[in-house]
Amino acid sequence: ESQLNPNYNFENFLEGDSNRLARNAGLAVANKPGGTSFNPLLIFGGVGLGKTHLAHAIGIDIKDKYPEKTVLYISAEKFTQQYIDSVKKNNRNDFIHFYQIIDVLIIDDVQFFSGKSGTQDVFFHIFNHLHQNGKQVILTSDKAPVDMQDIEQRLLSRFKWGLSAELQSPDFETRVSILKNKLYRDGVEMPEEIIEYVAKNIKTNVRELEGAIISLIAQSSFNKKEITINLAKDIVEKFVKNTKREVSIDYIQKVVSDYFQMDVSTLQSKTRKRHIVQARQLAMFFAKKFTKASLASIGSQIGKRDHATVLHACKTVDNLSSTDKQFRKYVEDLSKKLSL
Ligand code: ADP
Ligand code: MG
C-alpha cells in the first residue's frame, strides 16, 4: 500500500509562477526516479500551499510510469511513531530494513524530526542506503534547510544534496484557475464575478481558498439560496476573520526584535540598556494585549521575568505612549505589524 491519494495528482495541481520550479522538478523526478540530480527533492513552503498535494502527485505519476517500483508516502510524524514502536518491540532492524528496500520514499513535513535525535539517526541511515542505491527520496518541509532548527548538521547537509524547491503563495490568476478547476470537478457553476471576488480576497493559502468556496457552495445549497456576490462577501468576511492566526508570544518577540533590529536573545537578556528595556516592555505589552496568556506565563516566556515585571511593563508602555511621541509611534507601528 503506497498511501497515495489519487485526487492529489499532477493534473489537479495547477501551475503558476508560484509553483513552477517545484512542479517541474517533481515531473522530472517522476520521469526518472533516482536518475536525476534532484535527489533528494525537497519541497518547502508555508501551510496550505500544496506540499502534500505535490508530493502525492509525484508518487502517483511514478506508480503510473513504473508500476513495478515500490513507492511509499508517509508523514514524518507517522514515521517517527513507527520508529518508536519498533524500538519498544525490539525490532528496530526490521523497521530499517523495511524502508531500505523501497524504491521511492516520500516523507511529508520533515520539520517534525526537529529535536528527535533517535528518529534523525535512523532516517540518516535509511537515507544513505537509499541514496547510494540510486533510489529516490522526496521530502517536504515548512522551511528551507538553511532555516531548519534542531536538525543534525549531517542530515541537513544531505537535505541540500539535491534540489530544494519552494512553493510560494499563488498569484491572482493561479488562484482563479485553482478555484475554477475545483468547481469544474465538483460540477458546480458559479458566476465569474464571484470566483474573482473570492480569489481576490483570500490570498495566502490554497486550503483557505478552497475552504471558502466549499462553504459558499454549502451555504447556498442548504439555504436554497442563489450564490450571489453578497453571500460571497459574507462568507469571505467570516472566513478571513476566523482564520486570522492567533499571534504567539514567540511571534511577538520576533516582530518586536526585528523592528528594533536586535536578536530575540538580546530582547530577553538581563541588560538594563534603555532601548533594550523598552523593546522588552513592548513585547510584554503586546503579549498581554494579543494573547490569552497570564502575566506569569508572559514573564516566563520573555526572558524569565515575574508577573510584577510584566504588569510594570504594561503600565510603563501606557504612560510612555501618552507622553512620548516617538514611543507612541513604536506602539502604532508594532500594532499594525502584529494585527495583519
Ligand atoms: P500543504 O501540505 O503545503 O499544507 P496541501 O498540499 O495540503 O498543502 O494543499 C492544501 C490544499 O490546496 C489541497 O486541497 C490541495 O489540493 C490544494 N492545492 C494547493 N496547491 C494547489 C495547486 N497548485 N493547484 C490545485 N490545488 C492546490
Ligand atoms: Mg501538508
Side-chain angles (χ1 to χ4, degrees):
E1 258 313 308
S2 62
Q3 312 289 337
L4 294 165
N5 173 350
N7 291 319
Y8 281 173
N9 55 30
F10 269 117
E11 212 187 322
N12 290 336
F13 191 79
L14 297 183
E15 182 173 343
D17 288 344
S18 56
N19 62 39
R20 188 164 290 114
L21 172 69
R23 192 177 187 280
N24 284 334
L27 283 165
V29 163
N31 282 329
K32 272 174 94 180
T36 68
S37 53
F38 306 156
N39 200 12
L41 172 63
L42 187 144
I43 300 159
F44 70 95
V47 178
L49 293 181
K51 300 181 295 294
T52 297
H53 185 143
L54 183 55
H56 279 261
I58 301 168
I60 290 168
D61 209 28
I62 294 175
K63 260 310 208 194
D64 269 359
K65 289 176 174 139
Y66 303 92
E68 76 287 357
K69 285 198 192 288
T70 49
V71 176
L72 182 74
Y73 166 91
I74 188 161
S75 69
E77 185 172 3
K78 217 165 158 194
F79 179 91
T80 303
Q81 197 50 54
Q82 284 181 1
Y83 168 67
I84 294 171
D85 290 346
S86 81
V87 172
K88 272 190 203 144
K89 291 184 189 136
N90 254 320
N91 50 20
R92 183 175 184 273
N93 285 339
D94 295 346
F95 173 85
I96 295 175
H97 180 71
F98 172 83
Y99 279 96
Q100 283 179 338
I101 57 172
I102 286 169
D103 295 314
V104 178
L105 177 61
I106 305 169
I107 303 196
D108 202 0
D109 289 322
V110 293
Q111 75 274 2
F112 190 81
F113 290 161
S114 285
K116 302 187 172 65
S117 54
T119 313
Q120 287 180 36
D121 185 59
V122 81
F123 178 63
F124 179 76
H125 291 293
I126 291 168
F127 178 91
N128 286 341
H129 186 93
L130 293 176
H131 198 272
Q132 275 158 19
N133 289 287
K135 307 298 176 65
Q136 180 70 45
V137 178
I138 297 156
L139 308 169
T140 80
S141 165
D142 67 348
K143 290 185 201 68
V146 285
D147 297 320
M148 289 183 194
Q149 280 171 0
D150 300 316
I151 302 265
E152 284 172 49
Q153 208 46 54
R154 57 179 189 167
L155 206 50
L156 282 183
S157 86
R158 300 282 182 296
F159 288 176
K160 295 177 199 158
W161 273 358
L163 177 75
S164 298
E166 182 172 12
L167 290 178
Q168 293 168 329
S169 298
D171 56 29
F172 176 72
E173 279 72 30
T174 313
R175 297 200 296 276
V176 169
S177 9
I178 290 173
L179 287 179
K180 285 187 175 166
N181 179 261
K182 168 112 192 99
L183 290 166
Y184 175 76
R185 280 191 289 137
D186 293 353
V188 177
E189 282 190 33
M190 198 175 283
E192 185 80 22
E193 179 196 26
I194 292 178
I195 298 174
E196 288 184 4
Y197 180 82
V198 174
K200 203 167 179 174
N201 287 284
I202 299 187
K203 296 181 190 147
T204 50
N205 177 324
V206 182
R207 190 174 297 138
E208 286 177 10
L209 191 65
E210 289 186 344
I213 214 84
I214 292 167
S215 340
L216 191 51
I217 297 167
Q219 282 279 331
S220 89
S221 74
F222 290 152
N223 304 331
K224 308 231 178 325
K225 274 197 255 176
E226 225 185 298
I227 301 182
T228 60
I229 191 82
N230 280 332
L231 184 61
K233 279 183 183 159
D234 249 27
I235 284 173
V236 165
E237 194 181 304
K238 279 191 199 117
F239 220 84
V240 170
K241 221 190 258 159
N242 283 338
T243 53
K244 235 184 193 164
R245 25 203 137 292
E246 208 199 295
V247 278
S248 67
I249 295 180
D250 277 350
Y251 180 69
I252 291 170
Q253 296 188 78
K254 175 97 178 60
V255 169
V256 174
S257 338
D258 283 352
Y259 180 76
F260 291 111
Q261 297 179 347
M262 60 177 76
D263 293 330
V264 173
S265 60
T266 307
L267 178 136
Q268 295 178 337
S269 70
K270 302 282 170 204
T271 177
R272 305 186 68 88
K273 283 192 191 131
R274 187 158 165 267
H275 73 288
I276 299 173
V277 172
Q278 285 193 343
R280 189 159 59 230
Q281 290 179 326
L282 281 161
M284 290 175 173
F285 170 83
F286 284 114
K288 176 82 186 75
K289 186 166 170 189
F290 286 133
T291 74
K292 296 187 191 85
S294 66
L295 294 175
S297 151
I298 293 170
S300 85
Q301 291 180 68
I302 306 182
K304 302 207 168 55
R305 306 304 206 281
D306 61 14
H307 82 283
T309 310
V310 180
L311 196 58
H312 176 70
C314 295
K315 283 187 186 148
T316 308
V317 170
D318 273 335
N319 288 338
L320 281 177
S321 18
S322 53
T323 56
D324 180 337
K325 220 169 147 190
Q326 176 63 53
F327 195 84
R328 181 156 62 237
K329 171 120 178 28
Y330 295 158
V331 174
E332 283 166 5
D333 285 354
L334 286 165
S335 289
K336 266 191 220 133
K337 285 186 193 295
L338 288 165
S339 36
L340 280 182

